[in-house]
Amino acid sequence: MQRKFMFIHQIDHQIDNGITEAILNTIDEGILLVSNEGIIKGCNRQALEIIKLSSDQVLGKSYKDEMWIATTEELMPISSEQFPIATSIKSGSPVKNFVMGLKVDKVSIWINVNTHILEIKNERFILASFYDISEPIRARRSLQMLTNQLIEKDKQLLIDQKFTNAFHYASIGIALVTDTGLFVDVNNSLCQMLGYSKEELLSLNFQSLTHPGDLEIDLDFVRKMLNNELDTYQMEKRYYHKNGSIIWVLLSVSMVRDPYSPMFISQIVNISEHKKLIDDLNSNNIILGRTSGELQRRVNQLSEFNQIVAHNLRGAAGNIISLLGLMKDSRDEQERMMYFPYLEQSSKALMDILNNLIKLLHVRLNNEPVNQEMLNINKSIDQCIYQLYQEIHSSKAMIRMDLQVLHVKYNKAYLDSIIYNLLSNAIKYAKRDTAPIILISTYKKDGACYLDVADNGMGIDLDRFGDQLYKANKNFHKTKNSHGFGLYILKNQLDAMNSEITVESALGKGTKFTVRL
């Protein structure tokens, strides 16, 4: 059976396989990753082991496939539209602790299912985790059958010798209790369960052995039975062992209604291990929820990194391609040599951007503080101008600078990206047949450093688009090579640095962005 986690590459090709596999293989539950269309996109090895199928039998299948036959604990059929995955797809909300019987390829199991919602690259997935609870379910069903049988026969058993054998040799604890709670008779199993001898228990009542947190509920059931409001009752409760430890039991009680001497028949099953298993599984669910959140955070960071790389490297790489094209088309050797300094600078800028982004990705993935250093703003502007050489040259843009502040403490990758995005947008959204005039200013105000980038371009209708300005995939002008990610990336970077941005703009009158660094 394949031991690798089966959907590492379906989440994101850039996620470190080792990290993801290490996280998910600490979890004992089976995990399925299901698309919003209901197709199983991935699973881990625990899932395949629990349902006894191979990855080929699971991956690519729909949860609606006829191979999935499910029932409730009462053995009522469950349709695919009632599955926890279907519920989460319809409601967009997680489902907790859904118990269902599952029959797949002649293998019958009981599972407890939890679902979680994942948003990956603007696409919704359902992460379904489940674990095998077949043993406690079958034990509970067997106990229920035994309880029902005993309740139906308890009156006859009291006068039948067979009851004596069933009472004394039963594997579960059985006690005869008066209406005041005194033990009249107990079997050996109950004595072993509670750590008392038979003589000791017969001198006690059930109230003295019951945990205070459960006593009032138990007594209320007793009162209802004595008032003929109930024929039987069942509850989970805690008893004190003789050594002081707490034992969880499943208590089933029926009653012999003698008008002179009413008697309770109590059947007691030790479920301490079962309760511990449930507590452990709930703890694992909490860990899984945290792990899912951490995985989502890393996926979001990788997605953001992909967008930054695609957006910020496009200009530098495009500039190099344009310069190479000009060199190739030029027949004048002197003119060709003129392009070499620009090509060298653009190549260096490309490597600087990539190296800074890789360092930044490491910081974000490890949840470390973003590195800051004293930076020369003029140097960052010059680097961006080199990256945008072809756009500046083609548009005949005029760039003016009024730098009253030359140095600022900031993250280099973020500062370069902010300047690049604002400058490239000022060129990209210039008015037709009008050369861009761009003013870059820095100054101090109220102890803070500010960066302004103002242009004479097309401007933005803020009344119409003001609330969408920094969202992904939003374009406010039909312009070639406009992907709608520049301001979205810029806003995320500013938020990471606790910086702020404001804008002044009007259609046909240009735009001014102001950034508090």
Side-chain angles (χ1 to χ4, degrees):
M1 181 179 294
Q2 188 170 352
R3 305 296 292 178
K4 294 286 185 181
F5 192 63
M6 306 302 298
F7 59 80
I8 290 173
H9 297 294
Q10 282 81 355
I11 296 179
D12 192 302
H13 286 293
Q14 298 198 41
I15 293 180
D16 185 304
N17 288 6
I19 293 175
T20 305
E21 183 177 351
I23 291 172
L24 293 167
N25 282 334
T26 61
I27 303 167
D28 294 329
E29 289 93 334
I31 297 177
L32 297 179
L33 183 71
V34 183
S35 71
N36 206 44
E37 292 74 35
I39 303 301
I40 300 173
K41 295 294 187 179
C43 61
N44 67 350
R45 69 168 185 257
Q46 290 89 339
L48 300 178
E49 290 173 356
I50 290 172
I51 60 180
K52 303 297 189 296
L53 294 178
S54 68
S55 59
D56 291 337
Q57 293 173 296
V58 174
L59 296 180
K61 299 293 192 300
S62 169
Y63 73 86
K64 300 179 181 179
D65 197 297
E66 293 181 355
M67 68 183 286
W68 310 108
I69 301 174
T71 63
T72 65
E73 193 170 345
E74 293 74 28
L75 302 181
M76 297 298 293
I78 299 176
S79 70
S80 61
E81 295 303 315
Q82 296 173 302
F83 285 6
I85 291 171
T87 301
S88 289
I89 289 175
K90 291 177 183 176
S91 67
S93 300
V95 174
K96 300 297 182 184
N97 297 320
F98 188 96
V99 175
M100 59 190 290
L102 191 63
K103 184 175 182 181
V104 183
D105 196 24
K106 299 181 180 180
V107 175
S108 297
I109 58 172
W110 291 95
I111 57 175
N112 185 299
V113 185
N114 291 271
T115 64
H116 310 267
I117 309 300
L118 285 180
E119 295 290 337
I120 303 175
K121 290 186 177 180
N122 297 323
E123 184 177 358
R124 189 171 73 178
F125 290 84
I126 307 301
L127 185 71
S129 62
F130 58 92
Y131 51 87
D132 190 339
I133 57 170
S134 300
E135 185 173 343
I137 289 290
R138 288 168 184 152
R140 187 156 68 230
R141 289 183 59 80
S142 297
L143 173 62
Q144 186 61 53
M145 291 176 63
L146 176 61
T147 299
N148 292 339
Q149 292 170 359
L150 288 175
I151 289 173
E152 290 294 324
K153 296 179 179 180
D154 54 2
K155 293 181 181 179
Q156 290 76 18
L157 287 174
L158 281 172
I159 58 176
D160 194 320
Q161 184 61 40
K162 292 180 180 179
F163 172 74
T164 303
N165 293 332
F167 182 92
H168 289 291
Y169 299 109
S171 60
I172 64 173
I174 303 178
L176 299 181
V177 184
T178 68
D179 57 349
T180 61
L182 289 171
F183 291 108
V184 176
D185 198 1
V186 294
N187 70 352
N188 188 55
S189 294
L190 184 61
C191 294
Q192 292 179 354
M193 187 188 304
L194 299 179
Y196 291 93
S197 67
K198 182 173 182 178
E199 290 72 20
E200 289 173 322
L201 281 179
L202 294 182
S203 67
L204 300 173
N205 57 32
F206 79 84
Q207 293 94 323
S208 63
L209 299 178
T210 300
H211 189 281
D214 303 326
L215 182 57
E216 188 55 40
I217 298 174
D218 203 354
L219 290 174
D220 186 56
F221 279 128
V222 170
R223 284 191 290 269
K224 288 180 178 179
M225 291 192 74
L226 290 173
N227 291 332
N228 295 319
E229 297 176 32
L230 292 175
D231 292 325
T232 64
Y233 74 89
Q234 187 177 81
M235 66 176 289
E236 292 182 1
K237 62 178 288 187
R238 290 161 288 182
Y239 277 132
Y240 285 112
H241 191 275
K242 184 178 180 179
N243 63 17
S245 63
I246 291 176
I247 299 174
W248 275 98
V249 303
L250 178 65
L251 172 67
S252 300
V253 180
S254 58
M255 185 177 180
V256 178
R257 298 188 182 279
D258 188 316
Y260 300 103
S261 180
M263 192 78 64
F264 294 102
I265 304 173
S266 298
Q267 301 165 63
I268 303 161
V269 179
N270 189 338
I271 59 170
S272 298
E273 287 299 320
H274 174 65
K275 295 291 288 187
K276 182 178 182 302
L277 175 62
I278 291 176
D279 290 341
D280 290 344
L281 291 173
N282 287 335
S283 297
N284 286 338
N285 279 335
I286 293 173
I287 294 173
L288 178 61
R290 292 172 181 167
T291 302
S292 298
E294 176 65 14
L295 181 61
Q296 181 68 62
R297 183 182 71 82
R298 289 173 178 263
V299 168
N300 290 340
Q301 288 171 343
L302 287 170
S303 178
E304 177 189 344
F305 180 74
N306 287 341
Q307 293 165 359
I308 293 173
V309 169
H311 188 276
N312 289 13
L313 294 188
R314 186 183 295 113
N319 197 43
I320 292 173
I321 293 171
S322 297
L323 288 169
L324 289 172
L326 290 171
M327 291 178 65
K328 182 178 179 181
D329 294 339
S330 176
R331 296 182 180 181
D332 187 325
E333 186 64 24
Q334 186 175 359
E335 181 182 352
R336 293 178 65 188
M337 293 300 294
M338 178 185 70
Y339 293 120
F340 271 103
Y342 292 103
L343 186 61
E344 182 180 11
Q345 184 65 26
S346 293
S347 300
K348 184 179 182 301
L350 182 65
M351 289 303 300
D352 287 345
I353 292 171
L354 186 57
N355 289 332
N356 286 331
L357 289 176
I358 290 173
K359 291 177 183 177
L360 186 62
L361 176 65
H362 175 78
V363 167
R364 296 295 297 276
L365 285 178
N366 290 282
N367 208 22
E368 299 173 2
V370 179
N371 178 56
Q372 299 184 52
E373 57 184 306
M374 289 304 298
L375 301 172
N376 186 314
I377 297 178
N378 192 30
K379 185 176 179 181
S380 292
I381 295 172
D382 286 344
Q383 178 176 307
C384 291
I385 290 173
Y386 270 108
Q387 293 176 48
L388 295 166
Y389 169 80
Q390 181 59 31
E391 288 87 343
I392 294 171
H393 178 75
S394 300
S395 65
K396 299 180 181 179
M398 180 182 297
I399 300 175
R400 299 172 180 170
M401 288 186 283
D402 178 16
L403 306 181
Q404 299 176 30
V405 177
L406 291 178
H407 295 87
V408 66
K409 189 173 184 181
Y410 217 72
N411 176 269
K412 180 170 175 31
Y414 281 171
L415 181 63
D416 291 346
S417 179
I418 291 165
I419 295 172
Y420 175 88
N421 277 305
L422 293 177
L423 189 56
S424 64
N425 278 355
I427 298 170
K428 186 184 302 180
Y429 298 111
K431 287 186 285 190
R432 185 176 297 179
D433 301 326
T434 300
I437 299 176
I438 304 167
L439 175 61
I440 305 175
S441 308
T442 60
Y443 55 92
K444 279 196 172 182
K445 180 181 177 182
D446 298 330
C449 178
Y450 288 85
L451 168 70
D452 285 357
V453 178
D455 63 58
N456 63 335
M458 291 186 283
I460 304 169
D461 186 347
L462 294 180
D463 291 335
R464 183 179 177 186
F465 300 115
D467 60 340
Q468 305 176 43
L469 203 57
Y470 303 107
K471 294 182 179 180
N473 293 309
K474 295 295 182 181
N475 293 308
F476 312 116
H477 300 287
K478 293 182 180 180
T479 304
K480 185 179 180 182
N481 297 325
S482 179
H483 299 276
F485 277 107
L487 292 178
Y488 167 76
I489 292 170
L490 183 146
K491 185 64 168 63
N492 275 272
Q493 293 167 339
L494 291 172
D495 288 345
M497 296 296 296
N498 293 317
S499 297
E500 296 177 356
I501 185 170
T502 57
V503 59
E504 301 173 26
S505 187
L507 283 175
K509 296 182 179 180
T511 302
K512 181 174 80 170
F513 284 98
T514 298
V515 177
R516 179 181 62 76
L517 296 172

